[in-house]
Amino acid sequence: MRNHETGSAEENWRILIVEDDERLATLTKDYLESNGLQVSVEGDGSRAIERIKNEQPDLVVLDLMLPGEDGLAVCRIVRPYYKGPILMLTARTEDLDQVLGLEMGADDYVAKPVRPRVLLARIRALLRRVRDTTMVDGDELSNDNRLTFGNLVVDNAMREAWLNGESIDLTSAEFDLLWLLCSSAGRVLTREEIFHQLRGIEYDGQDRSIDVRVSRIRPKVGDDPMNPKRIKTVRSKGYLFVKEL
C-alpha cells in the first residue's frame, strides 16, 4: 500500500472490488470512479487472493459469496500479506457473517443491498483514517505519537505496536481501536464514542464489531481474555484501557 502526499487527489486511491455479480460490480465501479477513485474488479475469490497480494490496493471491497474461495477465506488468507483496509459486504440480517468477517480481519462492513453513497462514505472514512495517521511530517513527530505501558509500546506515526520488543500483528481497524483506547488510558470510552470516532456513525445498541475487535486485541497485547486486566469491559458503558498494571 502506498503513502499519499497531503492534499493529493482522491483519484490516487486504488480500490479492488471483489464481487461476482457483474451488474452490481459494474454499477459500483462506475459510481466510485465518478467520484474520483481508481477501481478494478475481480469476480473470483481465488484470483482475488493473488491480486490482493501482488497489487496491494489501497482498499478492498469484498463480497462474502464468491466462486473459488469465499470472502471469509479470502480475508483470512490475505491478512498476513495485506495491511490495507478490507470492507466486507454482508447480508443485512446475517449478524454472524458480520462477526465472522471481523474475526477474519475485515475492517468494516456494509449490509446489502448496498447504497452507493453509504459505501462511498465508508470507503472514504477508512482511507482518510489511514492517510491521516500515516502522513505525519517530521516536525510533527513527538512523544504524543508513541505511548508506552510497561512492555507494550504503541506508535501511531508508524502504525505499529510491540509487546516485549516483538511486533504485534494488527489489522488496520485493530490498530485504530487500540490507539484510541490507549491514548485515552484511564478513561472509560463508551461504545457510542468509539463508534463515532472510528466509524463516523451512531451506535445502534446492537452492533458487535467493537466487542469482536477488543476480543481479538486482548491476547495480542498480552491480556488474559478470560480475566482482562489491560483492556477492561465496563458493564453497560464501554471499555477502559488501564494505565498501570
Side-chain angles (χ1 to χ4, degrees), residues 35-240:
N35 282 275
L37 299 170
Q38 293 184 22
V39 184
S40 56
V41 175
E42 177 55 62
D44 179 84
S46 298
R47 290 196 299 267
I49 292 170
E50 296 307 312
R51 290 190 62 179
I52 294 169
K53 288 182 182 179
N54 295 330
E55 297 176 17
Q56 293 291 306
D58 292 300
L59 180 142
V60 176
V61 177
L62 179 62
D63 189 30
L64 275 179
M65 303 301 293
L66 296 166
E69 298 280 1
D70 66 26
L72 293 175
V74 172
C75 192
R76 174 178 54 81
I77 293 169
V78 302
R79 257 313 170 206
Y81 311 96
Y82 177 69
K83 300 303 182 184
I86 296 177
L87 180 62
M88 189 161 279
L89 305 181
T90 69
R92 181 178 298 277
T93 58
E94 294 298 325
D95 290 341
L96 180 60
D97 286 345
Q98 297 166 358
V99 170
L100 287 174
L102 295 168
E103 288 179 343
M104 292 298 103
D107 294 276
D108 202 353
Y109 58 83
V110 172
K112 286 186 170 183
V114 176
R115 289 180 292 170
R117 288 185 179 180
V118 172
L119 179 63
L120 178 62
R122 294 287 180 84
I123 288 172
R124 283 176 167 166
L126 286 169
L127 290 173
R128 286 170 176 166
R129 194 162 70 230
V130 172
R131 180 197 63 191
D132 291 345
T133 52
T134 54
M135 295 307 299
V136 179
D137 294 331
D139 59 358
E140 292 182 296
L141 291 175
S142 70
N143 290 335
D144 292 339
N145 288 302
R146 175 171 286 208
L147 299 175
T148 302
F149 304 92
N151 58 354
L152 174 66
V153 179
V154 186
D155 191 307
N156 193 38
M158 298 179 66
R159 290 186 63 80
E160 289 190 43
W162 300 266
L163 181 66
N164 296 319
E166 296 291 328
S167 179
I168 302 173
D169 184 19
L170 295 166
T171 68
S172 178
E174 288 169 356
F175 180 86
D176 290 334
L177 177 54
L178 176 60
W179 178 257
L180 180 61
L181 290 169
C182 68
S183 61
S184 302
R187 182 172 75 87
V188 175
L189 287 178
T190 66
R191 287 177 175 82
E192 288 80 6
E193 287 180 277
I194 294 172
F195 261 76
H196 182 72
Q197 289 288 330
L198 297 186
R199 299 185 64 190
I201 60 176
E202 298 300 318
Y203 178 56
D204 63 7
Q206 298 179 337
D207 193 305
R208 295 176 55 199
S209 59
I210 299 301
D211 303 318
V212 171
R213 287 199 187 108
V214 168
S215 69
R216 286 175 55 86
I217 291 171
R218 277 174 171 150
K220 293 183 179 185
V221 299
D223 215 354
D224 181 354
M226 302 303 296
N227 184 29
K229 292 181 169 45
R230 176 65 77 187
I231 304 176
K232 288 183 172 290
T233 301
V234 181
R235 193 165 183 172
S236 301
K237 290 188 177 181
Y239 292 99
L240 169 68

Side-chain angles (χ1 to χ4, degrees), residues 5 16 105 178:
E5 297 294 336
L16 176 63
L178 176 60

